[in-house]
Amino acid sequence: MHKALIIYSSLTGNTAQIADILADELEDRQIDVIILDAMEADPVDLLEYDIICIGSYTFGNDAEIPDEMLDYYEEIATMDLSGKPFGVFGSGDDYYPKFATVVDDFEAQLIKSGAIKVAPGVKTNIAPDTEEELEAIQTLAQALADYFK
């Protein structure tokens, strides 16, 4: 059985909700999942898993990477994650001019490290509560599971 690590940061609970849904979807596809808040893990933990999932919120006009996710962002640039499939997800608020751009930032950084993008990043407007958003999470889970077939 393949192992997935989901690392996330959530300010209001929305990104945590995405992480939980993604974990359930992966487990339904016979993937063993560990979910950790970014403050409970270390970037080197990513090396121990077959599948990497990173989730973070995007907040404010500047759409900066949250402080608790900066270590991950910076260390991923120095890591060799070659051949590891990844998924990135996050919540944002379409009120702001830059919507959920932290998802794009992490995708680019993971690609630079050699990790394999298997599906588009999942961006939710606040909570993951639309049919389209839930389908995007399912699509990501399926693509991650299918990588090893």
Side-chain angles (χ1 to χ4, degrees):
M1 183 178 283
H2 295 286
K3 300 185 314 181
L5 177 62
I6 299 176
I7 300 284
Y8 74 92
S9 177
S10 191
L11 184 64
T12 61
N14 296 318
T15 305
Q17 189 178 358
I18 303 167
D20 289 338
I21 295 168
L22 180 58
D24 289 344
E25 292 291 336
L26 288 169
E27 288 170 347
D28 287 349
R29 290 163 175 81
Q30 310 308 308
I31 304 291
D32 188 25
V33 180
I34 300 293
I35 304 176
L36 294 173
D37 182 285
M39 301 303 283
E40 300 172 342
D42 190 275
V44 297
D45 295 339
L46 299 172
L47 296 170
E48 298 174 27
Y49 291 83
D50 306 311
I51 298 168
I52 299 167
C53 299
I54 305 276
S56 180
Y57 61 93
T58 300
F59 186 77
N61 287 327
D62 294 330
E64 293 180 9
I65 296 170
D67 289 345
E68 63 273 22
M69 294 301 290
L70 275 176
D71 283 348
Y72 291 93
Y73 183 79
E74 292 169 355
E75 285 202 40
I76 285 169
T78 69
M79 300 172 85
D80 180 4
L81 299 173
S82 296
K84 290 184 184 278
F86 74 84
V88 180
F89 60 91
S91 60
D93 185 336
D94 64 7
Y95 166 82
Y96 294 101
K98 296 178 183 176
F99 176 69
T101 57
V102 171
V103 170
D104 305 323
D105 296 339
F106 269 99
E107 280 187 341
Q109 198 75 316
L110 284 157
I111 289 168
K112 285 180 193 173
S113 77
I116 308 297
K117 180 178 175 178
V118 296
V122 175
K123 298 179 180 184
T124 67
N125 186 34
I126 314 294
D129 54 12
T130 69
E131 188 173 323
E132 183 179 89
E133 291 167 343
L134 295 171
E135 285 177 6
I137 297 168
Q138 291 170 343
T139 298
L140 176 57
Q142 189 64 53
L144 290 165
D146 286 349
Y147 182 79
F148 294 104
K149 290 185 178 174

